[in-house]
Amino acid sequence: MIVARTRSELAGAQQALRRDGARFGLVPTMGYLHEGHLSLVDLVAARTDVVAVSVFVNPLQFGPSEDLATYPRDEARDLAMLEARGAHLVFLPPLEEMYPEGPPAVRVDPGPLGHRLCGRYRPGHFSGVLTVVAKLLGLFRPDVAVFGRKDFQQEALIRRMVSDLDMGTEIVAAPIVREDDGLAMSSRNSYLDVEERVQAAVIHAGLQAALARFREGVRESEMLVGAFAEVVAAAPLLDVQYAEVVDRWSLESVEVADERAVMAVAVFCGKTRLIDNVELG
Ligand code: AMP
């Protein structure tokens, strides 16, 4: 496994790895890896010849009162996990290597989709995400890039960006990997204390309750959100920021759920903000 920290090291590694016709896959991450990230590595490995992973905590996507300074990091552990999983190339750029001129003056505008769901509560977040992903796609020029469905809005926006701006990389979505009790794996789960960790699993239970209602034939979004809220209300450490039924393509709220409906939620568990979603249709 080649570890590149600078643009020139990355270019050298790519030259060495890009044998004739080799297909290149990229898994962008912010590190502090878990099985969810590693499932993306497996997915890309099944579709390409060369698996590249980037590990970069991107300041552009954090708001001023968010957790950039405390975001968990463990480079040695990440590298060991990636090596064991068979990654060929890891890019670990320091800040000045990603943004040599300082914060970029030109950024990607996510448009109206970026203002829905999480975008309403995290202004600038998706512009930061799309800008760094555009840079990574430019640096790696991968044939395939994989993103997790856990970050449902992020995946939808990246898919749109790559299509609207003809970026040429195939975007693949990976299913959500969960802990045994259903909690979606996340680097931020490391913030949870013991009691918070127990109650955090109720988020998934709430989504499953909504899914069960949908499968029974309930279609009114209000009732489906109500089913979620009722379950979550039993966990006092949980505080719902939003719970919405949206169309998976437009991300617009729908009053009546159909086969394209997704329930997306953001929930504070103590001070930790967790997101999750379920495809209803
Ligand atoms: P992050 O390091 O949180 O920026 O995540 C990097 C990539 O891993 C993103 O595409 C995420 O959607 C994906 N990811 C994170 N957690 C999970 C999970 N539990 N299941 C599947 N994909 C995930």
Side-chain angles (χ1 to χ4, degrees), residues 28-30 34 36-37 40 147-148 150-151 154 175-177 185:
T29 80
M30 298 207 298
H34 49 67
H37 296 112
L40 272 55
F147 296 88
K150 188 187 80 86
D151 300 272
Q154 167 176 290
I176 302 175
V177 177
M185 289 191 183

Side-chain angles (χ1 to χ4, degrees), residues 19-231:
R19 302 175 309 274
D20 284 359
R23 274 169 64 77
F24 230 85
L26 174 64
V27 182
T29 80
M30 298 207 298
Y32 210 69
L33 303 178
H34 49 67
E35 194 55 36
H37 296 112
L38 297 179
S39 75
L40 272 55
V41 170
D42 293 347
L43 209 67
V44 120
R47 285 158 193 265
T48 62
D49 306 300
V50 178
V51 179
V53 179
S54 63
V55 177
F56 178 64
V57 181
N58 173 37
L60 290 192
Q61 69 192 69
F62 287 79
S65 59
E66 293 183 355
D67 57 344
L68 173 61
T70 54
Y71 196 83
R73 292 163 167 88
D74 190 338
E75 191 183 296
R77 181 168 154 272
D78 288 349
L79 287 172
M81 288 168 89
L82 290 172
E83 179 133 50
R85 209 62 167 226
H88 302 103
L89 169 61
V90 183
F91 184 44
L92 284 161
L95 186 60
E96 59 278 12
E97 204 56 48
M98 263 326 260
Y99 299 116
E101 318 285 340
V106 176
R107 302 184 189 203
V108 179
D109 178 355
L113 273 68
H115 300 296
R116 300 191 180 126
L117 301 172
C118 290
R120 216 170 324 126
Y121 303 93
R122 304 187 71 189
H125 170 68
F126 288 113
S127 174
V129 169
L130 294 184
T131 301
V132 80
V133 171
K135 284 170 71 71
L136 290 168
L137 296 181
L139 285 166
F140 281 86
R141 310 242 166 231
D143 299 289
V144 176
V146 182
F147 296 88
R149 283 244 160 82
K150 188 187 80 86
D151 300 272
F152 157 71
Q153 185 173 16
Q154 167 176 290
E155 189 253 315
L157 277 163
I158 290 166
R159 199 175 277 288
R160 279 290 187 97
M161 172 178 77
V162 167
S163 151
D164 288 354
L165 303 182
D166 293 314
M167 292 174 141
T169 296
E170 180 194 349
I171 302 299
V172 172
I176 302 175
V177 177
R178 299 179 178 281
E179 303 287 355
D180 289 343
D181 63 3
L183 175 64
M185 289 191 183
S186 165
S187 307
R188 287 190 169 100
N189 291 350
S190 63
Y191 296 149
L192 303 171
D193 69 24
V194 174
E195 186 49 35
E196 288 169 346
R197 174 63 191 81
V198 170
Q199 295 197 20
V202 175
I203 300 168
H204 178 247
L207 290 172
Q208 289 303 110
L211 178 62
R213 298 305 304 278
F214 181 87
R215 289 186 173 156
E216 286 160 20
V218 175
R219 291 292 178 271
E220 296 83 359
S221 295
E222 208 179 314
M223 308 259 298
L224 297 167
V225 170
F228 170 77
E230 196 181 311
V231 171

